Amino acid sequence: MFTRNVLLLTGSIAVIGANSLVLSPIASSVARSFEGVDAADVMTAAASYGLATAVSALTLASTVDRIGAERALVRALLVFVVALASAALSPSLLMLCLSQGLAGLAAGTALPAIYVLTAQVAEKGRESETLGFVLTGWTLSLVAGVSLSAVLADILHWRAVFSVLAVGASGLALGVGRSKNWGTAARGTRPTSPLTALRVPGITAALLNVAAYMTAFYGLYTYLGPHLGGTLRLPTAFAGLATFAYGMGFGLAAALGRLIDRYGTLMAATAAFASLALAYLGLAATAGFPVALLALCVVWGLANHVGLNLLVRRLTELDPLQRGAIMGLYSAITYLCVFAGALLYRPIFEHFGFAACALVSAACIAPALGWALGIQRFRADPGRS
């Protein structure tokens, strides 16, 4: 059984992730509340959130190392509550964008704090299992957040969506603040920052893998819906089903964390990244076959979860004294890849189609697979330099 603290961390990721996803399905409803605004204009608020998250992760996440991850998470969640309440009360699109920018500043600190606390509270020998469970918060935000937000907006109002998230974040902030036994944080004598974190041995290769990995995912995921609805002329519900299939695969993979702890991260990394590359190749091959594509979305989610688990665990183990700064770099790269993936894949999708995008994603996984194989060879022959 996972502890109350692990459940709080999972819930925190779910609320933060939900806010990052809910604007898309309710954009039309939001637009109707503001004069002279359409759904595309509303998504400017989502862009504000992503950009602010990346900036915060680079500039504020190192406070996790200075004041402690649990205190940083409580403060970030409280700011998050204010931002969500402000979003719910926004009288204009400008105010909504500013509110989402504030939410992004909070998320850029909260997410690194969550990953640091996960490393602190995980039992010895159950690190990947614990991290895998916490990562299912993204599944909750994807499956429940996206689906329920649209329903809530239709039944009540889009402002109710942000109100519910604000209440949830308030409860989580209270729970984290009152909870004990957050583990022992490693403390250094020197201040940390993104610059000091970049000097940690091994971090450059790890972050490059993260960049390629996230670009592969966000680039392809961005154009999954346009491919299904635009190219294949399938109903919107099918695109939602594909998202659900990916989310279910991602969530089911949490059970594999125990196997990673049992058999080791090297074997798991090689298998996970190879499986993910094959999943992308499979998505390219089945781009014109909706049912097969749907099945592969489940496999995509499974492999992506395991790979993400391994990358995050690797980063948290590089330097315990700078976990906050390191995970800040991770979060910044992740949110920058949301923009980079959409931007870089657009001409590929427009000129060559979804299958070509999937092939590019498969190529992006090659560095991570090469890293796993390289580490495995090094462990087999530690005398090599």
Side-chain angles (χ1 to χ4, degrees), residues 326-338:
I326 289 172
M327 296 315 299
L329 289 171
Y330 163 81
S331 294
I333 288 174
T334 297
Y335 277 88
L336 288 173
C337 285
V338 175

Side-chain angles (χ1 to χ4, degrees), residues 6 9 69 111-128 130-132 134 182-186 312-320 323-324 327:
V6 173
L9 296 174
L111 289 171
I114 291 169
Y115 293 129
V116 171
L117 288 173
T118 302
Q120 288 179 196
V121 302
E123 295 179 20
K124 186 68 175 177
R126 299 184 66 186
E127 292 88 351
S128 287
T130 304
L131 178 58
V134 171
W182 285 109
T184 302
V312 172
R313 180 172 174 179
R314 167 66 175 165
L315 287 168
T316 58
E317 291 175 346
L318 284 175
D319 187 350
R323 277 176 175 158
M327 296 315 299

Side-chain angles (χ1 to χ4, degrees), residues 33-34 84 86-92 153 157-164:
S33 296
F34 305 133
L84 291 171
S86 177
L89 298 172
S90 295
S92 65
H157 196 275
W158 66 265
R159 298 183 189 277
V161 175
F162 292 109
S163 299
V164 169

Side-chain angles (χ1 to χ4, degrees), residues 231-260:
T231 307
L232 299 184
R233 305 292 182 184
L234 294 169
T236 303
F238 195 91
L241 190 59
T243 299
F244 181 81
Y246 173 86
M248 289 305 298
F250 194 92
L252 291 171
L256 300 178
R258 184 176 300 180
L259 296 179
I260 297 174

Side-chain angles (χ1 to χ4, degrees), residues 14-81:
V15 168
I16 293 170
N19 178 70
S20 69
L21 296 168
V22 295
L23 270 177
S24 180
I26 67 174
S28 296
S29 297
V30 175
R32 286 193 290 270
S33 296
F34 305 133
E35 187 177 352
V37 172
D38 59 21
D41 294 329
V42 171
M43 294 311 295
T44 305
S48 300
Y49 173 83
L51 182 60
T53 302
V55 171
S56 174
L58 282 175
T59 58
L60 300 177
S62 56
T63 59
V64 172
D65 300 316
R66 293 196 292 272
I67 67 174
E70 64 276 16
R71 292 177 64 192
L73 180 56
V74 171
R75 294 180 184 182
L77 285 173
L78 290 175
V79 174
F80 200 64
V81 171

